[in-house]
Amino acid sequence: MVVDKDGYQIHIPIRLEKADRFVSRFLGLMFRKELPENQALWLVPCNSIHMFFMKFSIDVIFLDQMNRIVKLAKHVQPWSVLSPVRSAYSVLELPAGTIERYGIEPGDKLVLL
């Protein structure tokens, strides 16, 4: 994954798993014991998430159709719900702390490889 910050790029060594079917989006990360530091789940299409049956916190990035970040949620706790983000087309679920570690901000564009 690459974060484009208006002219310079940050490479983030994360392997993406894409969830683009109803069942894979619905299940998401539920019932998993952890999300390894080098993995992320990309929910397409999606504009809100729930953390029911989760066992760990995550960072969440809401993306528009051009993969520009429209909203961030850091350290989202199990059993919480994030309201729909009207301008979001997809959601990226990352290990907690990833947003801060790489300085990811709203307006940055992601290149998802």
Side-chain angles (χ1 to χ4, degrees):
M1 181 172 85
V2 176
V3 179
D4 187 341
K5 296 178 109 8
D6 290 327
Y8 73 94
Q9 296 181 338
I10 300 169
H11 294 271
I12 300 175
I14 288 183
R15 186 178 70 80
L16 291 178
E17 175 184 344
K18 189 175 183 181
D20 58 357
R21 302 215 185 274
F22 175 78
V23 173
S24 61
R25 287 192 320 264
F26 176 75
L27 289 175
L29 297 172
M30 286 192 303
F31 307 110
R32 297 189 192 187
K33 293 182 181 181
E34 65 178 4
L35 179 60
E37 191 172 315
N38 63 341
Q39 292 185 11
L41 182 64
W42 185 24
L43 303 157
V44 182
C46 181
N47 70 351
S48 67
I49 66 161
H50 67 82
M51 298 286 289
F52 302 138
F53 305 103
M54 293 283 293
K55 300 176 190 308
F56 51 90
S57 300
I58 60 172
D59 283 355
V60 180
I61 298 175
F62 291 88
L63 303 165
D64 66 13
Q65 287 189 314
M66 302 299 292
N67 290 338
R68 188 159 306 277
I69 298 170
V70 294
K71 184 176 180 178
L72 300 172
K74 301 175 188 174
H75 300 279
V76 180
Q77 300 296 312
W79 294 96
S80 60
V81 176
L82 295 181
S83 299
V85 175
R86 191 175 289 192
S87 57
Y89 174 73
S90 65
V91 172
L92 191 59
E93 298 180 337
L94 302 145
T98 303
I99 290 171
E100 290 177 359
R101 184 177 307 116
Y102 292 100
I104 298 170
E105 300 174 339
D108 291 348
K109 185 172 181 177
L110 297 187
V111 179
L112 303 171
L113 308 171

